[in-house]
Amino acid sequence: MRTRYHQELAELGTSLTQLCDLSATLIGHATRALLDADLELAEQVISDYGRVTALSAAAEERAISLLALQQPVAGDLRSIVSCIRCIGDVERMGALAVHVAKIVRERHPEHVLPAGFEGEFAEMGRIAVELAGNAKTVVGSGDPEKAAGLREQDDVMDGMHRRLFAALLDRGWKHGAGAAVDLALLGRFYERFADHAVEIGRRVVFETTGTLPPEQEVGTY
């Protein structure tokens, strides 16, 4: 019975790393669709999100079953509770990638990004993919130092987000209100994607040490 219990715990962790992988793929593809105005790739992101929701639902069901049937305590209890919270965060990361893809779909065949903003969003997309990959590594290793390090990458994303808003509010903005709204939303999506990755790191620290680092504001957008 205990062997099966620990096997279930391991499978729960594996599901979470798979979800991190999927979210990295989705945001990477969504960014490429954004840069290239690629409708087919945007549609693929939207469709592939179903894999995230299905895997999330199965993982949550497994976690709840473990809580109900095994009544874990101490470290095991923290592990399962943290995993449930992380599942919600990584599912939200996938949903944010879908938001990016939907803007691409709505504006197709036109490009969403005005000239001169491609490099900014290519970099934001790169950081987002890296954050999701590092979240996967942290979930697999349980290393609290690496988990805490996710915040440094988030700081870079936050800085890019602030610079984007400064450009949108500049009196010299000449791309129109519609483009400004699109870019404001896109910046928000990438910034929140990073926040959720940081939250996964916080939960890994809690799982390992029993103490939560200072809270990162995570929106529900």
Side-chain angles (χ1 to χ4, degrees), residues 26-90:
L26 289 181
I27 197 64
H29 286 173
T31 301
R32 180 47 51 194
L34 177 66
L35 296 172
D36 297 343
D38 188 329
L39 178 60
E40 183 177 350
L41 192 53
E43 294 287 7
Q44 181 181 329
V45 171
I46 295 166
S47 174
D48 285 351
Y49 180 59
R51 296 168 60 198
V52 173
T53 57
L55 184 55
S56 295
E60 282 190 3
E61 184 176 345
R62 177 179 286 119
I64 291 170
S65 175
L66 285 170
L67 287 174
L69 299 178
Q70 301 294 338
Q71 299 181 345
V73 296
D76 284 351
L77 178 60
R78 286 202 309 270
S79 178
I80 296 171
V81 171
S82 294
C83 195
I84 291 173
R85 295 292 297 270
C86 288
I87 289 167
D89 283 303
V90 76

Side-chain angles (χ1 to χ4, degrees), residues 74-75 78-79 82 144 202-213:
R78 286 202 309 270
S79 178
S82 294
R202 286 182 74 243
R203 290 291 159 186
V204 170
V205 172
F206 171 70
E207 178 185 340
T208 305
T209 68
T211 302
L212 275 172

Side-chain angles (χ1 to χ4, degrees), residues 128-164:
V129 170
E130 193 172 284
L131 273 163
N134 288 343
K136 172 191 172 182
T137 299
V138 162
V139 166
S141 68
D143 188 328
E145 290 187 10
K146 289 183 179 179
L150 291 170
R151 187 179 292 274
E152 295 178 9
Q153 291 176 289
D154 178 58
D155 288 342
V156 177
M157 182 75 86
D158 287 342
M160 298 188 72
H161 188 229
R162 286 192 296 270
R163 290 194 295 274
L164 174 63

Side-chain angles (χ1 to χ4, degrees), residues 150-189:
L150 291 170
R151 187 179 292 274
E152 295 178 9
Q153 291 176 289
D154 178 58
D155 288 342
V156 177
M157 182 75 86
D158 287 342
M160 298 188 72
H161 188 229
R162 286 192 296 270
R163 290 194 295 274
L164 174 63
F165 261 79
L168 299 179
L169 296 173
D170 190 279
R171 291 184 178 181
W173 177 260
K174 58 183 179 181
H175 302 291
V181 170
D182 283 344
L183 264 64
L185 286 172
L186 287 166
R188 173 80 166 180
F189 297 152

